[in-house]
Amino acid sequence: MMDREQCLRVLAGRRTNQVVVGAYGAGRDFRELAPSPLNLCEVGTMGMASSIGLGIAAGRPDCQVWVLDGDGSLVMNIGSLISIANNRPKNLVVFVFVNRIYEASGGQPVVGIDRLSFAGMAEAAGFEQVFEFSDEEQFERELDQVLASAGPTFVVMNAEGKRRIPINRRSTNLEEWLLVRRTLAEQTAE
Amino acid sequence: MKALETVHPLLTELRRCGIRHVVTVPESWSVDIDRQLHYDRHFTVIQVSREEEGVGVCAGLHVAGRDAAFVIQNGGMLASVNALAGVSRQFQIPLLMLIAYRGSFGDSAQNAVNQIAKGIVTEPVLRALEISYEIAAKPEDLRVIKDVHDYAKAWCRPAAVLMKKEAMYLR
């Protein structure tokens, strides 16, 4: 198991102009570690991060989109793997942080977590690239290759760790959505 | 895939709205529309496996600056209530939903009896979500799509057209 915060710090260090769609723990922690007008880290409904990421990637093929999903969230919208693979956005990278629990709702085990394979499901759905990491040094070493691959790319991150940001923290989520939209529009205009 | 001789008025209206992205889940009444959308290179069709996903995809397209239409069945709208409230309403997404109105008056399909329960609750659920809607009974009624799209964009909220069978089938 890797340390999630450490993995997010590595990602933050590589981040340039990517749109980042994040869910719950991973998303909110990434937003704190890597502030940007291109962070969309409140998705409103559990499971929607991967679908929102597909929409942004389809609408802006000139931008790379990173989805930082959780295992519980992705299980809730697992069909999105099929939709993403079928629509083949080259610019979409889906990271799923696997801590094996519903972190935001009490720490219960994620359904089927002892049997399922996220990498196996992504491969079966037809993702172009599938990676899985359980070692931080290997992740850091190979991340450039992951990000350079023509997607859609799926990355299993076996990582756990304490949430940096309290779950009940009030966030200005609507403003965040409006800011990402405005920032992308300004990039178009340039 | 062969082009049909008559362009479906739904496609004409989407062009009038300036919409190029269409998110869909296939439905038996939308066979003609689906075929033409896939054939027409003006449109980028994003087929999803389940309607709630489509709510998220349309929200992402909006963030990316793209207008989109979401072509689904009313059963799919009912399955998407969580995302319609938590994403579309919460984040002020001008989601244009074009919904096959199964189980409504005039749905005489052999299996319509299975649709009645969904038809009965469709409008009450839209009203509960505070989603404004129009009903298109005939193909010419689809001209309302432009008004509904303009409304959704002006007020930054989802809006819908409930389409009866005659408005969707060309044959």
Side-chain angles (χ1 to χ4, degrees):
Chain A
M1 274 284 190
M2 301 183 288
D3 178 74
R4 185 172 71 196
E5 181 175 330
Q6 200 51 43
C7 295
L8 292 173
R9 286 185 186 280
V10 171
L11 274 172
R14 299 292 212 289
R15 201 264 188 90
T16 53
N17 58 353
Q18 294 85 359
V19 180
V20 174
V21 182
Y24 297 96
R28 290 171 186 170
D29 285 357
F30 185 82
R31 178 170 56 194
E32 293 291 314
L33 292 166
S36 160
L38 290 173
N39 286 343
L40 201 159
C41 294
E42 296 286 343
V43 295
T45 296
M46 193 166 173
M48 283 293 101
S50 52
S51 297
I52 294 166
L54 171 58
I56 298 174
R60 286 296 299 263
D62 57 317
C63 298
Q64 192 174 55
V65 179
W66 296 353
V67 170
L68 309 181
D69 217 343
D71 45 2
S73 293
L74 185 58
V75 162
M76 199 162 278
N77 190 16
I78 199 72
S80 65
L81 296 184
I82 297 168
S83 305
I84 291 168
N86 183 56
N87 286 287
R88 301 160 83 173
K90 288 186 165 60
N91 55 329
L92 181 60
V93 186
V94 178
F95 296 89
V96 58
F97 285 81
V98 179
N99 64 359
R100 305 171 60 84
I101 57 171
Y102 293 106
E103 181 184 356
S105 62
Q108 306 92 329
V110 169
V111 60
I113 197 65
D114 290 333
R115 291 175 171 272
L116 65 82
S117 162
F118 283 107
M121 286 194 283
E123 282 173 357
F127 268 74
E128 292 292 329
Q129 310 287 340
V130 179
F131 301 88
E132 180 160 6
F133 294 102
S134 300
D135 179 83
E136 283 163 26
E137 287 181 8
Q138 184 192 5
F139 172 61
E140 188 160 7
R141 208 168 45 242
E142 297 182 10
L143 180 56
D144 286 339
Q145 180 201 335
V146 170
L147 298 176
S149 304
T153 300
F154 188 82
V155 189
V156 182
M157 302 288 292
N158 294 305
E160 59 188 2
K162 279 197 171 175
R163 178 196 302 276
R164 286 170 54 87
I165 312 303
I167 192 168
N168 59 353
R169 174 171 172 153
R170 181 178 290 276
S171 63
T172 54
N173 45 23
L174 174 60
E175 286 76 10
E176 188 176 71
W177 279 64
L178 297 173
L179 179 59
V180 175
R181 179 172 154 81
R182 193 166 63 241
T183 304
L184 284 172
E186 287 168 358
Q187 286 182 356
T188 308
E190 284 170 4
Chain B
M1 197 172 286
K2 269 180 70 175
L4 298 176
E5 289 180 356
T6 308
V7 175
H8 196 289
L10 183 142
L11 276 72
T12 306
E13 293 307 311
L14 294 185
R15 284 177 186 272
R16 214 155 65 89
C17 295
I19 289 173
R20 301 182 76 104
H21 289 83
V22 183
V23 180
T24 69
V25 177
E27 206 284 323
S28 58
W29 286 3
S30 66
V31 168
D32 294 333
I33 294 166
D34 294 336
R35 185 184 297 121
Q36 290 199 8
L37 283 170
H38 280 94
Y39 182 82
D40 190 335
R41 287 175 166 249
H42 176 80
F43 295 105
T44 298
V45 178
I46 301 175
Q47 187 175 335
V48 291
S49 67
R50 193 165 189 270
E51 290 83 354
E52 191 179 35
E53 281 181 52
V55 175
V57 174
C58 288
L61 285 164
H62 172 69
V63 169
R66 311 296 180 207
D67 289 355
F70 187 29
V71 182
I72 56 173
Q73 193 211 80
N74 53 343
M77 182 278 291
L78 295 172
S80 306
V81 166
N82 188 24
L84 288 170
V87 179
S88 308
R89 292 298 316 275
Q90 171 84 356
F91 300 118
Q92 301 182 359
I93 308 298
L95 173 65
L96 173 65
M97 291 191 287
L98 306 177
I99 302 171
Y101 196 178
R102 302 303 310 267
S104 58
F105 292 123
D107 186 351
S108 57
Q110 280 190 331
N111 66 344
V113 65
N114 300 322
Q115 308 290 347
I116 295 299
K118 290 184 287 185
I120 289 170
V121 300
T122 294
E123 292 184 56
V125 169
L126 284 172
R127 285 197 292 271
L129 288 164
E130 299 182 326
I131 295 176
S132 301
Y133 61 90
E134 292 275 7
I135 296 176
K138 295 182 165 52
E140 53 267 33
D141 295 342
L142 293 173
R143 289 189 63 80
V144 78
I145 288 173
K146 177 74 163 60
D147 288 342
V148 173
H149 181 239
D150 289 347
Y151 171 95
K153 290 191 74 170
W155 299 107
C156 298
R157 54 189 302 144
V161 180
L162 294 172
M163 303 181 294
K164 295 201 171 192
K165 186 176 182 180
E166 195 179 327
M168 298 184 71
Y169 264 131
L170 288 178
R171 52 198 84 168

